[in-house]
Amino acid sequence: MSELSTALVFWPGAVVMLAAGVFVFRTPSMTRAGLLLLVALAVEGLLFLALASQFLGVLQLLMMSAEMTVMVFFMVMYMPDPGGLMGMDMTHQKRTSTSFAVAVGVGLAVLAVVTDWPATTLPADAPDVRAIGFEVMGRSMFTFLFAGVTILFSMVGAVMLGERGGRFDLARPGDERRAEQETEG
Amino acid sequence: MSLTVVIAVAALLFGIGLYGVLSQTNAVMIVMGVELMLGAAMLNVVGFLRYAWPEAVSGSFFVLVVMTLMALEAAVGFALITSVFRNRRTAEVDDLTELQG
């Protein structure tokens, strides 16, 4: 992508992403909050595409659209006020969190502006998606496998945690007596 | 367009996520704040890939691991919230104070 087309996608995208990110925590409706997060992270995928990372951009769009749709269901399930019609206040330590977040966000942004970053223009023979395919079969194979195994472990852990009664099941009446009899016998 | 712009945008996104983590009372919303912070981290790396080291293909896999982490953090986070909700009938973090001395 040329420099102009990158800028044409990046600037509106960045504005939409940041605005959606802010409104995630401002809207009273949980469904809307989940969908706004979907918008923020999907637009981030578009920014990846604009920044010449085709593989990551498409991956981000696919993963986040699925993940955030699932998230909306969880939001509706666990929220005391899923529709946002009761006008509940769902924030605490307002002043501390606002001032801390503004300080960190603006501080890091100022730091980014004043730092002298390396600047290279994208060469014409820059690696494309094809190079990523070779990379995954070469040096980065371990990283890729590691991500897969981590997903497997987390799936097992999440199922165990989410199971009714947890890892060791709920205590039932008579459990202690049975345990005593087992140790005696 | 330069690396500075990308990193500044990522810093602001990180700040928004931090606000969510600190200010929200519901555990599900805190997970969403963490998602935004990890999204900022990914945008940072993609910016570096585009403007500083375009030839470093393995950097993409770093972003891939962060993306995996985002999904897993949500999955394990929701499993924890499910577990808490089953026992306490609430996912409000302000109510979970029994470890307080």
Side-chain angles (χ1 to χ4, degrees), chain A residues 11-92:
Chain A
W11 285 109
V15 171
V16 170
M17 180 180 74
L18 292 176
V22 169
F23 280 114
V24 166
F25 302 114
R26 305 302 301 175
T27 173
S29 159
M30 288 308 104
T31 321
R32 246 176 252 156
L35 292 174
L36 279 167
L37 190 67
L38 167 60
V39 169
L41 292 170
V43 170
E44 194 184 2
L46 289 182
L47 298 191
F48 288 0
L49 287 176
L51 292 171
S53 290
Q54 288 91 349
F55 171 65
L56 293 174
V58 173
L59 198 65
Q60 170 86 354
L61 280 172
L62 288 174
M63 274 188 72
M64 291 308 136
S65 50
E67 193 185 328
M68 294 308 138
T69 318
V70 173
M71 206 156 192
V72 170
F73 287 107
F74 275 94
M75 307 280 284
V76 174
M77 268 173 4
Y78 291 132
M79 282 292 169
D81 179 17
L85 297 173
M86 294 191 282
M88 272 176 71
D89 184 23
M90 289 183 303
T91 54
H92 59 180

Side-chain angles (χ1 to χ4, degrees), chain A residues 87-112:
Chain A
M88 272 176 71
D89 184 23
M90 289 183 303
T91 54
H92 59 180
Q93 46 190 17
K94 291 181 187 49
R95 189 172 301 168
T96 325
S97 49
T98 311
S99 47
F100 199 67
V102 168
V104 169
V106 174
L108 286 175
V110 167
L111 208 62

Side-chain angles (χ1 to χ4, degrees), chain A residues 117-118 120 122-123 127, chain B residues 3 45 47-57 59:
Chain A
W117 299 107
T120 37
L122 200 63
Chain B
L3 186 54
V45 181
F48 271 101
L49 277 176
R50 167 69 179 80
Y51 287 108
W53 290 280
E55 69 282 357
V57 184

Side-chain angles (χ1 to χ4, degrees), chain B residues 84 88 93-101:
Chain B
V84 167
R88 309 289 306 271
V93 287
D94 285 347
D95 297 340
L96 309 174
T97 55
E98 69 254 52
L99 288 181
Q100 209 168 50

